[in-house]
Amino acid sequence: MKHGIIEILRQRADEYETISFTENDPSKFMHMAKGKRNREATAFVASALSFGSRKQFLPKIQFIFDLAKGNVDKWIREGNFEDAFQPNDIRPFYRFFTFAQMNAFFRAYKSALDEYDTLGALVASKAKGNAVNAVEVICTHFREHGSRGVIPADAKSACKRVCMFLRWMVRDSSPCTLSERSSRILSSFLASPPLYLSKASVSANWIFCFFKTLSLARTRWHRESKSSFVRGLSVYTWQRLRRGRM
């Protein structure tokens, strides 16, 4: 069972870690954006809305990308989101997110840009080289600046969308991520040497591997086999950590 699961993981990695995978994936928007800061901002907004049906959330991300005329960073930095997203507009925007909630999300994001210039700089200044701290820093900032729902209030939940964003920013050797194109905008929070031997840090790639594999479990595995699936994942990931491949 263990070796079979490892082989499935490798096969799925080969299948999905291709640039063609981004054609119907929220990560495509960050590849459409130009400029380091804009790619980061586009990636973060896209990740925040990436749940539910792709047929539903991809048009919502496209809507914002079009409103921003392809420059999400400038759109948020200059407060232009206020035109379309009013603070008292309780109409639903996507699922249970209202236009008012999106306004609060954009305002909280703007506050991070105003004070730190980029979200990556905010993380680098407060996470102390710890990837778990990085998730907590992002959640705490948005909670303390009035945003509710779009970003989890704390790191007690899975925080899958925040983890996905961090993976997009820092993961090396993948055509689906931005690490090489963006000069590792957020990689400063992974500065612990070497990361895969540090007990105090959790690799963003571990986070990616864990949650991506669980998403496969949702469609491929019955509930009773998930525990074996996760055990196999742990063995496979630990082997990669020891070899320095994550």
Side-chain angles (χ1 to χ4, degrees), residues 52-118:
S53 169
R54 294 189 184 195
K55 291 182 179 180
Q56 294 180 345
F57 70 70
L58 287 177
K60 296 299 182 180
I61 301 171
Q62 185 70 58
F63 173 75
I64 292 174
F65 193 75
D66 291 342
L67 280 179
K69 298 180 180 179
N71 196 332
V72 176
D73 177 75
K74 180 180 178 181
W75 184 70
I76 293 175
R77 209 177 282 269
E78 296 183 354
N80 295 328
F81 58 86
E82 300 279 1
D83 295 335
F85 295 89
Q86 299 291 326
N88 298 317
D89 189 346
I90 61 173
R91 291 178 301 151
F93 173 67
Y94 175 58
R95 299 281 291 267
F96 41 81
F97 296 164
T98 66
F99 277 80
Q101 283 180 293
M102 293 301 297
N103 175 276
F105 165 70
F106 291 132
R107 286 186 176 184
Y109 193 4
K110 183 179 184 301
S111 70
L113 300 183
D114 290 343
E115 185 173 356
Y116 296 94
D117 191 46
T118 67

